[in-house]
Amino acid sequence: MSIACDNDRLCVQRKRNKGNHSQTSELTNKNNMKYFLIAVSILVPLTAAASVGRDLKADGQSKAPPNKSAFVESLEQLHRPPPLKPALNRANVETRWFTQFLDNFDPENNATWQNRYMINEDYHVKGSPIFVNLGGEWAINAAGISSGLWVDIAKQHNGSLIYTEHRFFGESIPIKPLSTENLKYQSVDQALFDVVALIDSLLETEKYNGSKVVVSGCSYSATMATWLRKEYPDVIKGSWVSSGPLVAKVDFSDYMVVVGKAYKKLGGDYCYNLIDNATTYYQNLFATGQGEKAKEELNLCEDFDVDSESDQWQIFSTIANVFADIAQYQKPDNYDLPKYCSVLRSFSDDDAVALSQFVQWRLKRPECIPINYQGAVDYYKWSMDNYQGTGIAWTYQTCNEFGWFQSSAGRKQPFGKSFPATLYTDTCYDVFSSNYTVANINSNIAATNKDYGGLNPGVTNVYFVQGALDPWSKVGAGVKQGATIIPNASHCPDQDSISDSDSAELRASKEKLVELVRKWLTE
């Protein structure tokens, strides 16, 4: 397949990549393969191209980390990969590595790195379509292309499945340490081009010559699916966008409003009121000089400063995140919220005690809850020198491109008024550099919306799906943008195969996607 594009700069870069990338791999470590629900083959590149960063055991990794804040932990939970039901049959998923350029847009920078991706060719027929599942702010795993609706559709078309890992997440680390200077290579435009470079290399092989490509994503990776179709319509024939945020926004107060709405609608007024009453109780303790009592009743660790506004912001944000984590991936057919609301009440008839016990239970019963603003900053700074998890890279992107800082500024939500977006903008400033002022963060976010069009990205062959009770829906496509809205559903509600347990609306949406993909692949 010849490389074609309308943008001169991008065309030069894609031709540069065509001449320099290698995706040849060989099977290794046959006796050390790990088997889960699927068979995973581990491959390594033959290419000798220099990689900027692959070894996760870099110097300094042995340095003991600071105590991980419950606030940091709660944020990472909110950005985990979408849950999928286990595959009924074993799939043969191979892990491969692909040589990427560190900077896709600087021809003078020839530094490269190894990008992990996974491939399932169980249904492959020469020249058949490629179904790409885009990784987001998480480490990819083979389950992502072993089960679910996208796998079912690929099977119908004798297609191959690819699961891409986003730069700076999982094992796809382009450069170390993760300093502010090095994280400048962490951006959505770089990540989009990484995907296109991998696809281009596959299309140049005999096996995939003439193959058409469709992509899917959930959450941030669904954002990428939208923008890939916008930026590279010559490569991407269509995009399935499940719960994709489109509008970058600094103060994302609507998020907790929708979380509260979900608890009220599905959990009941008693559940909403319990959370609201307990939050108000603890807020009032701090406001009336009884912070030590709140600290004791919430079982906060000794380094929590009852007089620190930033520490108070973190504990109330963490409480809200604990409840948001449940609401974000709730499935109405499983009655998830009613069940958790029953557990919440079961801890005590006293609302404040019930909330405290529930939060500790969800945090896996630590000896005390580690909450301290400076401790969170210290942990992020440690992560920059000793790569640990995905939190630092995602935090950088939010500061630099997206915002989406989930504050308590919205009305009609049960989490109080005690964690403004300032908690996050301060973190950007204290972790990355003094360049991250509120004004500069606002400017960064405005630039993202200008570049990609916000709610009006100007794309065709894109299918938007939203859960009506998805907190992220407030920055995603709505009815005006042609999105399908699934009643009572939350984040990425349509990932699993068509099932008898699907609501009528969910089933209809999945069936519509099946037909749309069929149409895209015939165009």
Side-chain angles (χ1 to χ4, degrees):
M1 177 179 176
S2 61
I3 295 177
C5 55
D6 298 326
N7 184 299
D8 289 341
R9 183 187 71 163
L10 296 182
C11 208
V12 168
Q13 287 307 107
R14 290 173 68 187
K15 288 178 179 178
R16 168 188 179 229
N17 285 7
K18 178 187 175 186
N20 287 275
H21 281 118
S22 171
Q23 56 105 34
T24 307
S25 302
E26 68 176 356
L27 190 62
T28 189
N29 295 332
K30 291 183 179 179
N31 295 326
N32 295 315
M33 287 188 295
K34 298 180 180 179
Y35 288 90
F36 301 96
L37 295 172
I38 45 94
V40 181
S41 301
I42 307 300
L43 289 87
V44 296
L46 283 173
T47 177
S51 173
V52 178
R54 263 286 312 277
D55 183 8
L56 294 184
K57 296 180 180 178
D59 291 343
Q61 184 74 12
S62 60
K63 181 181 177 182
N67 196 20
K68 191 173 186 179
S69 166
F71 170 71
V72 173
E73 186 71 43
S74 71
L75 286 177
E76 291 182 357
Q77 275 294 107
L78 286 173
H79 295 282
R80 66 189 188 277
L84 279 168
K85 292 179 180 177
L88 295 178
N89 300 308
R90 176 174 291 178
N92 297 299
V93 175
E94 297 177 355
T95 295
R96 297 178 183 175
W97 300 91
F98 179 73
T99 303
Q100 300 277 17
F101 283 108
L102 177 63
D103 191 332
N104 289 311
F105 307 112
D106 180 3
E108 302 301 316
N109 187 342
N110 289 315
T112 61
W113 60 284
Q114 297 301 306
N115 189 182
R116 182 171 67 157
Y117 71 100
M118 295 179 178
I119 185 166
N120 177 353
E121 296 179 306
D122 281 355
Y123 318 116
H124 171 76
V125 172
K126 183 180 177 181
S128 60
I130 301 173
F131 290 77
V132 182
N133 185 22
L134 299 168
E137 67 278 23
W138 54 75
I140 62 172
N141 64 73
I145 50 173
S146 300
S147 65
L149 183 58
W150 203 229
V151 175
D152 298 340
I153 297 175
K155 185 176 181 180
Q156 292 176 15
H157 296 274
N158 297 315
S160 295
L161 291 126
I162 306 291
Y163 197 4
T164 60
E165 188 162 71
H166 193 297
R167 55 170 57 201
F168 287 99
F169 297 125
E171 295 184 23
S172 296
I173 311 302
I175 189 171
K176 297 176 187 177
L178 303 188
S179 61
T180 303
E181 173 63 21
N182 286 342
L183 282 170
K184 70 184 179 184
Y185 299 110
Q186 171 69 321
S187 65
V188 68
D189 62 336
Q190 295 280 3
L192 294 175
F193 199 92
D194 290 341
V195 174
V196 172
L198 173 58
I199 291 171
D200 277 345
S201 75
L202 291 170
L203 295 179
E204 289 294 323
T205 65
E206 182 180 357
K207 180 183 286 189
Y208 291 108
N209 188 263
S211 293
K212 295 181 180 180
V213 181
V214 288
V215 300
S216 71
C218 156
S219 197
Y220 164 54
S221 70
T223 307
M224 292 176 62
T226 307
W227 295 347
L228 273 169
R229 173 62 185 165
K230 175 183 174 67
E231 298 294 312
Y232 306 101
D234 58 309
V235 180
I236 309 302
K237 299 305 177 186
S239 295
W240 171 25
V241 176
S242 183
S243 299
L246 297 179
V247 181
K249 191 174 187 178
V250 177
D251 190 345
F252 187 19
S253 59
D254 284 339
Y255 180 93
M256 291 302 173
V257 173
V258 179
V259 172
K261 180 180 178 182
Y263 276 95
K264 180 181 281 285
K265 184 172 184 179
L266 300 181
D269 286 341
Y270 90 91
C271 190
Y272 180 98
N273 293 337
L274 189 163
I275 300 167
D276 192 22
N277 292 340
T279 303
T280 300
Y281 168 79
Y282 287 117
Q283 277 189 162
N284 288 339
L285 287 182
F286 283 110
T288 57
Q290 301 178 75
E292 288 295 342
K293 181 179 171 129
K295 179 177 178 179
E296 179 181 356
E297 293 186 11
L298 287 167
N299 192 29
L300 307 182
C301 294
E302 187 57 36
D303 59 357
F304 179 88
D305 184 350
V306 298
D307 297 318
S308 166
E309 191 172 46
S310 297
D311 283 13
Q312 291 179 32
W313 292 345
Q314 279 207 348
I315 181 55
F316 285 105
S317 178
T318 301
I319 291 170
N321 288 345
V322 165
F323 286 98
D325 176 46
I326 298 168
Q328 181 167 290
Y329 281 121
Q330 64 86 15
K331 292 185 180 296
D333 54 302
N334 290 342
Y335 301 98
D336 290 333
L337 290 193
K339 289 176 184 175
Y340 277 106
C341 285
S342 294
V343 172
L344 171 62
R345 172 48 79 201
S346 73
F347 280 110
S348 176
D349 291 333
D350 182 289
D351 292 348
V353 173
L355 182 138
S356 175
Q357 290 296 315
F358 183 82
V359 169
Q360 291 178 69
W361 172 63
R362 289 292 293 173
L363 293 175
K364 300 180 181 178
R365 292 283 182 197
E367 184 177 345
C368 61
I369 297 177
I371 289 285
N372 174 270
Y373 175 79
Q374 189 57 49
V377 170
D378 291 344
Y379 181 83
Y380 281 133
K381 285 182 172 289
W382 175 85
S383 295
M384 296 171 84
D385 292 326
N386 307 265
Y387 175 73
Q388 183 72 25
T390 60
I392 189 64
W394 179 245
T395 300
Y396 177 83
Q397 277 196 278
T398 60
C399 296
N400 208 50
E401 297 185 294
F402 306 130
W404 296 329
F405 302 136
Q406 296 151 8
S407 79
S408 60
R411 298 179 57 199
K412 296 183 179 179
Q413 49 85 14
F415 305 110
K417 302 293 180 184
S418 296
F419 52 103
T422 309
L423 166 61
Y424 297 91
T425 56
D426 282 358
T427 301
C428 297
Y429 184 96
D430 289 335
V431 171
F432 297 113
S433 83
S434 58
N435 290 330
Y436 287 88
T437 61
V438 173
N440 285 344
I441 292 171
N442 275 292
S443 178
N444 293 344
I445 272 61
T448 299
N449 288 327
K450 181 179 179 181
D451 288 345
Y452 293 105
L455 283 180
N456 299 292
V459 292
T460 58
N461 287 8
V462 174
Y463 183 50
F464 296 108
V465 181
Q466 300 282 6
L469 294 178
D470 177 13
W472 288 97
S473 65
K474 292 297 184 179
V475 286
V479 174
K480 290 183 179 179
Q481 291 75 38
T484 294
I485 312 298
I486 311 299
N488 294 332
S490 191
H491 204 48
C492 305
D494 50 352
Q495 300 296 290
D496 286 318
S497 301
I498 294 173
S499 166
D500 290 341
S501 65
D502 291 341
S503 67
E505 296 87 354
L506 180 57
R507 186 184 185 94
S509 178
K510 291 178 179 180
E511 291 174 345
K512 181 177 180 179
L513 174 66
V514 171
E515 293 307 312
L516 283 172
V517 171
R518 193 181 308 279
K519 175 176 177 291
W520 297 339
L521 293 175
T522 58
E523 292 178 352

